[in-house]
Amino acid sequence: MDLAQFLSDFTVQNVLAGAILLGVSSGTLGVFAVLRGQSLLGDALSHATLPGVALGFLLTGTRNLGAITAGALVSGSLAALFVLLLVRNTRLKNDAALGSALSIFFALGVILLTYVQQSGASSQAGLDSFLFGQAAAILRSDLPLLAGLTVLLLALVLLLWKEFKLITFDPQFARTLGLPVATLETLLTMAIALAIVIGLQLVGVVLMSAMLVAPAVAARQWSRRMEGMAVSSALFGATAGVIGSLISAAGRGLSTGPLIVLTATALVIVSLLFAPERGIVWAWLRAARQGREFRRRRLLETMFGLAVDHEDPGYRIEEGMLRAAQGRGVRGDLRELERAGLVEEARHMPEEGNHWRLTGAGFESARAHVEGGGQGEEPA
Amino acid sequence: MAVGDNGNNNRHEPSLAVHVEDLTVSYREKPVLWDIDLDVPPGVLAAIVGPNGAGKSTLIKTILGLVRPSAGHVYIHGRPYRQVRHRVGYVPQRTSVDWDFPTTAIDVVTMGLYGHLGWIRRPGRKEYEAAREALRSVSMEEYADRQISQLSGGQQQRVFLARALVQDADVYFLDEPLAGVDAVTERAIMRILRDLRSRGKTVIAVHHDLQTVRTYFDWLLILNVRTVAQGTVDEVYTARNLRAAYGGNVPLLEVAGEH
């Protein structure tokens, strides 16, 4: 099957549309979750949607996306409320509260799921696909609802952008400006829950939180401002969704959710390594270059010190002495300095090994540096 | 006392910039502020000093409605704080936010105008000009488009100060504005605060360095859960008051006089 034919396939189109909606909504909302340090909230919320998914099915008796979505949203919100109550009324820390909510709601969801499966209608229901997601499960009739929810989310974020940004950066200052911070935080949590619900069919409850975190983390590497971060995160999310679900839909029956998440993870790894300014590789290269420069500078200063001590600018120094001073091999650095015209190899007593001395330029360069560095070492 | 409850429109001690009555705050049943009465006249540069755990930051946060008091009332220029938020500017402790947040210095300063802007409206050219002006007044204009993660501690503090300046308030609260900044920045910040005072604003700062109280401030609150003393620096900065707040070990006892 060639690519054009593949892309014109009805199912594939549905999957692509669903993946883009999923990636854009979770990518955008994930920026808030990540910057607010709430990655774990996403995980708890997504696991907590499972009882709602099962109940939505039980109540309507069909795999109706509207009912399942509503159920997921309700049980996700209940979990968020549960966390809030735990934190306010007990001495449990936020992460412990989130962990409890996650496991309690997920356990409840798994029990309900097995109940649904034993009740017989399960073969058509395919509810277990909500655990890890399934590309083929998306129907054309599901798309308007998913698109509507995505548009709703984006509109909310656009309208309240400045308020959401401020409560993310400095919630206390926001309160002194009179913003209803608690209400806005609740709204943001609801929006995150909604973004999770949009992705449930494709990615599943177990891995959905990765779609909140991964695109945002990758985007953070490339962005200087939160506005840019949100746009890149949405793009990364959509890219991961499209690539992952295409691989899955290409027919080997591989699970969709894990493939999408792995694609997003690949984006994260590439971003962590190679993004300009924040990339680890550039930091390594910078550090290595600085280390080399420092080493050569010190080598030159050592030679300068010896030349001064022996009152001979062209004093010949045995390589072993320099090796001892630097605590490591010096041949490479000496060759590099030789190429820069700062030192030269000096034949002295061949049986004693290589000797080196400063050139005129090398002596001046070292003197300028030593005096400029304020070490107070006057050449004799 | 229910002074605040009976008349939201009745001005209460309007001649004072800040008037606090019977303020008590407790965390987990333990009072951290007890029965604080505070009267700060307008147009002063005031310091709040006290030992660690005295409740200095808590006092500011309670006045600004960030901490809920168990009892007490707060009036700003005679009105309950909630009615006159826009007349109050706030510089939190620098360490209270994540400076690796993806944003620029000027963007942080415009946040000071979000209250004036109201819902939904975005900051436009007018707001960015005001923010640039505020950055200029703290000598940070050239850093306007710099990532905040690339700023030094002193520069971050000045960005926070600019964000408060752009609020164009009458009363400013600053939480440790001189903590962890170098001597040059310290002088620059004090120059800005004196300039605010000379324009009739009231500036109240939590301060940790007893050595500089006399040079920098003209009004003083010494706090240790309770009010130890308040008034002009000349009246209040005495060995007896400092000993009452800090216990025996006050290095400045001689400097502070023999009262």
Side-chain angles (χ1 to χ4, degrees), chain A residues 21-331:
Chain A
L21 294 173
L22 143 83
V24 167
S25 52
S26 62
T28 310
L29 270 301
V31 166
F32 293 102
V34 165
L35 289 178
R36 290 165 57 80
Q38 285 185 326
S39 306
L40 192 56
L41 174 74
D43 208 19
L45 286 184
S46 68
H47 280 78
T49 55
L50 195 56
V53 170
L55 280 177
F57 176 81
L58 278 174
L59 290 178
T60 57
T62 62
R63 195 179 187 287
N64 172 303
L65 186 65
I68 286 173
T69 301
L73 206 55
V74 168
S75 73
S77 309
L78 281 178
L81 193 67
F82 177 71
V83 169
L84 209 62
L85 288 176
L86 274 186
V87 172
R88 284 210 184 136
N89 297 315
T90 70
R91 291 207 173 188
L92 279 190
K93 294 272 185 287
N94 202 32
D95 59 335
L98 285 168
S100 326
L102 184 154
S103 27
I104 294 169
F105 277 75
F106 188 61
L108 207 61
V110 171
I111 291 170
L112 283 171
L113 210 59
T114 44
Y115 174 76
V116 170
Q117 276 167 340
Q118 280 161 9
S119 73
S122 63
S123 48
Q124 298 94 318
L127 274 192
D128 49 345
S129 73
F130 276 96
L131 278 178
F132 294 111
Q134 190 180 346
I138 288 206
L139 306 174
R140 177 63 49 116
S141 59
D142 294 342
L143 289 178
L145 178 65
L146 295 179
L149 291 177
T150 304
V151 168
L152 182 73
L153 274 184
L154 292 183
L156 181 74
V157 169
L158 276 175
L159 279 179
L160 295 180
W161 176 259
K162 119 176 157 297
E163 286 77 13
F164 282 161
K165 183 167 86 172
L166 184 56
I167 66 165
T168 303
F169 176 63
D170 194 347
Q172 296 221 322
F173 186 75
R175 280 172 66 188
T176 68
L177 295 184
L179 284 183
V181 173
T183 309
L184 285 167
E185 280 176 341
T186 309
L187 206 57
L188 207 47
T189 304
M190 296 285 293
I192 289 172
L194 204 57
I196 288 167
V197 167
I198 291 172
L200 281 188
Q201 272 184 310
L202 267 180
V203 175
V205 300
V206 176
L207 290 171
M208 189 52 210
S209 72
M211 287 310 290
L212 281 176
V213 178
V217 168
R220 175 69 192 95
Q221 292 293 105
W222 303 90
S223 323
R224 297 168 54 84
R225 299 187 48 168
M226 197 177 163
E227 287 77 9
M229 182 177 167
V231 173
S232 342
S233 183
L235 288 176
F236 282 146
T239 307
V242 166
I243 294 177
S245 50
L246 278 183
I247 297 174
S248 162
R252 301 234 167 73
L254 298 173
S255 293
T256 315
L259 282 171
I260 293 179
V261 167
L262 284 179
T263 312
T265 309
L267 290 173
V268 170
I269 291 172
V270 168
S271 305
L272 286 177
L273 288 177
F274 297 111
E277 288 183 35
R278 298 175 72 91
I280 295 169
V281 167
W282 309 133
W284 280 340
L285 290 179
R286 274 195 301 273
R289 196 174 55 231
Q290 276 168 11
R292 268 198 314 277
E293 275 166 19
F294 177 72
R295 241 169 32 227
R296 288 176 195 154
R297 181 49 62 189
R298 213 176 54 172
L299 193 57
L300 218 51
E301 280 171 18
T302 306
M303 295 177 74
F304 176 76
L306 285 166
V308 168
D309 289 346
H310 290 85
E311 299 180 15
D312 173 9
Y315 180 69
R316 281 173 294 216
I317 302 156
E318 201 176 328
E319 192 176 308
M321 207 168 166
L322 295 172
R323 204 160 46 233
Q326 296 282 87
R328 55 174 292 156
V330 287
R331 181 65 63 83

Side-chain angles (χ1 to χ4, degrees), chain B residues 149-224:
Chain B
S149 58
Q150 294 169 353
L151 301 175
S152 73
Q155 290 169 339
Q156 291 171 351
Q157 191 68 60
R158 280 190 273 172
V159 168
F160 260 11
L161 192 55
R163 182 177 70 172
L165 292 180
V166 88
Q167 290 184 273
D168 194 26
D170 294 320
V171 182
Y172 286 93
F173 289 94
L174 302 90
D175 203 342
E176 298 265 14
L178 303 179
V181 305
D182 61 32
V184 178
T185 309
E186 179 163 324
R187 280 196 296 275
I189 290 174
M190 285 317 299
R191 186 170 41 74
I192 295 158
L193 298 186
R194 276 194 292 270
D195 181 52
L196 284 173
R197 177 182 58 186
S198 70
R199 282 156 48 201
K201 318 277 191 184
T202 309
V203 180
I204 300 165
V206 171
H207 190 58
H208 62 281
D209 182 9
L210 287 177
Q211 313 263 1
T212 51
V213 166
R214 281 189 157 182
T215 13
Y216 287 164
F217 298 95
D218 54 17
W219 202 95
L220 182 63
L221 167 69
I222 302 177
L223 190 71
N224 190 3

